[in-house]
Amino acid sequence: MQLAEILLYLASYKPKLMKKTSIVAIGIGAAVVIGSAFVLSQGGQDIDLNGLTPKDSSFQEPVEVSQNEALTIISFNIRDMAGRQRTLEDFQEMARLMEGADVLVLQEMGAKAFKKSGDNEDLMARLVASTEVLKSYLGSEWEFVFADGATPETFGGAAEIPCIGYRTTRDAVTLNATWSGYYDLGEARDMGTFEVTCSKGASSETFTIGTVHTKPTCPQRGEELQKVADYIEAHEEDKYILLGDFNWGYYSTCSNKYDGEERLTELHDDGSVFQVFNTISFTGKGKDDNFRTNLDLRSTGQMYDQFFVCKNYADQIADGGSLGKDCGFVSFSKNDYFEDRMDDIVREQINGVKAYMRTKGFKSNDPETKAAVAAAEGEIQTSHITVDKASHKMSDHKPIWLRINLF
């Protein structure tokens, strides 16, 4: 066969996804013709790093709007979102970073704020209001949907409520999302599921989004990830995208170690599912030169947040599997806005030191005050507490994003 005939044949051939080790061994994957060029099928492989390194400045840029009918999905663990701490300016910056999304899935809505007794109407009113604020910045075409109740039902510090936002229309594409129900992950956490329908003219595609936030500590995390794996095996022929804060690789001291992560990796390797960030994920404590979805200001890197895409969609990743083009994350902690919020916190605490020195009879320009301020500033700037306070303005996780072609 001539090369052109081979490429056309491969473009029309849809084999079952192979293990990535097999693909490496034979040195070829299925090819997809795009104009005069071709790219390897994503089936069973890992994403192309596209020459990017963990600290590449391109990761600081907002997510771009999809081209044509491609769908951009963002998952964001927004951190302890109780509707009390963030300003309008904070919401505006979050919207700026995520303005290219078509679907936005939020974790930790209501976390640490649900009551074990009494009603939670005030909390839910704040949460709904927070989505209305986001909508005011994202655009009037946006809608947000909450689950019909929080998980776990016992409430308390571990409880939160799944939430999804979506752009109802963009160009020729329309979207609709509805709450579907919970998939049991155990006593502490469940996976919230939404049904998403994406339409373009007479064509329509419906799939499930499962939003995950595991309990970080062991053995619960491993047990919950095992149940995510159960879902994948039970829905192998279905259309879904599982996403969220899996707390992937969180340092484990339990006997079950990383058995949940290992089983999910096996499912990726045998082609049952596609773990988008497989090639840049790791277990245990990472290093500064690791890719990460926790803040760049943390002492160790962790790739907590993940996308798991059903095998039916694995070949529809928008640009053939390329970091920064069809998937990635936003490193907002290196942006001016977050750094300014850090400066605000340092300044506030330094003012407290100056006020304390005044109570001791020292003026601002006295050597004693200057020495106290200098010593305090060094401690404050390097303290993890300062980062924690600033992370409540945005989050302690980076938004992750994925672009997929459904038509």
Side-chain angles (χ1 to χ4, degrees):
M1 296 176 70
Q2 298 297 315
L3 176 60
E5 294 176 307
I6 293 173
L7 293 179
L8 287 172
Y9 170 76
L10 289 173
S12 62
Y13 178 53
K14 297 288 187 179
K16 177 177 174 64
L17 301 178
M18 298 180 290
K19 291 184 179 180
K20 61 182 179 181
T21 50
S22 300
I23 292 173
V24 171
I26 63 177
I28 189 169
V32 180
V33 177
I34 303 177
S36 59
F38 67 93
V39 295
L40 289 179
S41 164
Q42 194 55 48
Q45 296 191 80
D46 288 331
I47 56 171
D48 178 3
L49 297 188
N50 198 28
L52 297 175
T53 58
K55 296 181 181 179
D56 196 288
S57 60
S58 65
F59 291 127
Q60 296 172 227
E61 298 299 317
V63 180
E64 296 181 351
V65 177
S66 298
Q67 299 296 313
N68 302 320
E69 68 272 9
L71 193 70
T72 299
I73 301 171
I74 292 181
S75 171
F76 191 22
N77 181 333
I78 202 168
R79 181 161 203 187
D80 300 352
M81 180 63 209
R84 288 192 289 244
Q85 299 192 48
R86 291 167 177 85
T87 66
L88 290 177
E89 190 179 16
D90 298 334
F91 280 107
Q92 187 176 33
E93 175 65 5
M94 285 191 286
R96 185 186 74 86
L97 297 175
M98 302 181 291
E99 62 188 1
D102 297 301
V103 177
L104 172 60
V105 187
L106 301 172
Q107 291 88 41
E108 290 209 37
M109 294 293 278
K112 302 181 181 177
F114 278 103
K115 300 176 183 177
K116 290 185 178 180
S117 60
D119 67 65
N120 288 282
E121 292 181 3
D122 287 345
L123 171 61
M124 284 307 304
R126 292 196 304 274
L127 297 182
V128 171
S130 70
T131 61
E132 288 296 315
V133 173
L134 275 174
K135 179 178 175 179
S136 72
Y137 291 120
L138 290 170
S140 59
E141 73 275 18
W142 276 78
E143 295 292 342
F144 283 84
V145 178
F146 284 91
D148 58 12
T151 177
E153 292 183 356
T154 53
F155 295 133
E160 57 188 77
I161 188 164
C163 178
I164 186 172
Y166 61 97
R167 193 190 301 265
T168 57
T169 180
R170 178 176 56 78
D171 300 328
V173 177
T174 60
L175 286 170
N176 184 63
T178 57
W179 170 245
S180 183
Y182 282 113
Y183 181 82
D184 177 33
L185 296 184
E187 293 183 3
R189 302 284 169 88
D190 293 311
M191 178 171 71
T193 64
F194 295 86
E195 187 175 88
V196 179
T197 300
C198 184
S199 302
K200 181 186 178 186
S203 300
S204 182
E205 187 79 4
T206 299
F207 62 96
T208 296
I209 279 185
T211 175
V212 175
H213 181 201
T214 68
K215 190 175 180 63
T217 51
C218 62
Q220 291 89 347
R221 186 191 71 258
E223 294 167 353
E224 290 162 10
L225 291 180
Q226 289 279 5
K227 293 201 173 186
V228 172
D230 290 343
Y231 178 95
I232 291 170
E233 290 186 338
H235 296 78
E236 187 170 353
E237 303 304 322
D238 296 336
K239 297 175 180 179
Y240 63 81
I241 298 174
L242 311 184
L243 49 80
D245 176 12
F246 284 64
N247 277 299
W248 186 272
Y250 192 101
Y251 185 66
S252 177
T253 57
C254 294
S255 59
N256 67 341
K257 279 292 187 180
Y258 303 105
D259 59 358
E261 287 92 341
E262 290 167 358
R263 184 176 167 204
L264 287 168
T265 298
E266 289 173 0
L267 291 174
H268 166 85
D269 288 347
D270 69 20
S272 298
V273 72
F274 178 59
Q275 181 186 8
V276 173
F277 296 135
N278 175 269
T279 191
I280 58 176
S281 295
F282 52 89
T283 54
K285 295 181 179 180
K287 301 177 181 178
D288 284 343
D289 56 354
N290 287 125
F291 286 92
R292 58 164 75 198
T293 63
N294 64 335
L295 298 188
D296 298 278
L297 302 171
R298 297 301 192 193
S299 58
T300 58
Q302 298 286 358
M303 198 69 193
Y304 291 136
D305 303 83
Q306 300 284 330
F307 285 109
F308 283 83
V309 178
C310 66
K311 67 180 185 181
N312 291 316
Y313 286 165
D315 288 339
Q316 293 169 236
I317 306 298
D319 288 293
S322 180
L323 185 65
K325 290 185 177 180
D326 60 7
C327 61
F329 44 83
V330 183
S331 300
F332 62 83
S333 61
K334 290 294 186 179
N335 287 351
D336 290 344
Y337 185 86
F338 193 83
E339 290 178 350
D340 287 346
R341 301 293 74 76
M342 291 276 289
D343 290 343
D344 291 342
I345 293 165
V346 172
R347 190 180 305 112
E348 178 183 351
Q349 294 188 51
I350 290 299
N351 287 338
V353 174
K354 291 178 179 178
Y356 172 77
M357 294 301 289
R358 285 197 298 271
T359 67
K360 298 299 181 181
F362 297 103
K363 297 180 181 179
S364 296
N365 291 327
D366 287 347
E368 293 84 355
T369 300
K370 291 181 178 180
V373 166
E377 188 169 8
E379 290 292 328
I380 294 167
Q381 288 179 336
T382 58
S383 172
H384 72 279
I385 297 174
T386 303
V387 179
D388 281 344
K389 287 177 68 68
S391 70
H392 282 283
K393 307 299 287 181
M394 302 286 287
S395 182
D396 53 348
H397 287 247
K398 302 173 184 178
I400 59 173
W401 60 274
L402 168 69
R403 189 163 289 134
I404 187 168
N405 285 319
L406 293 182
F407 301 107

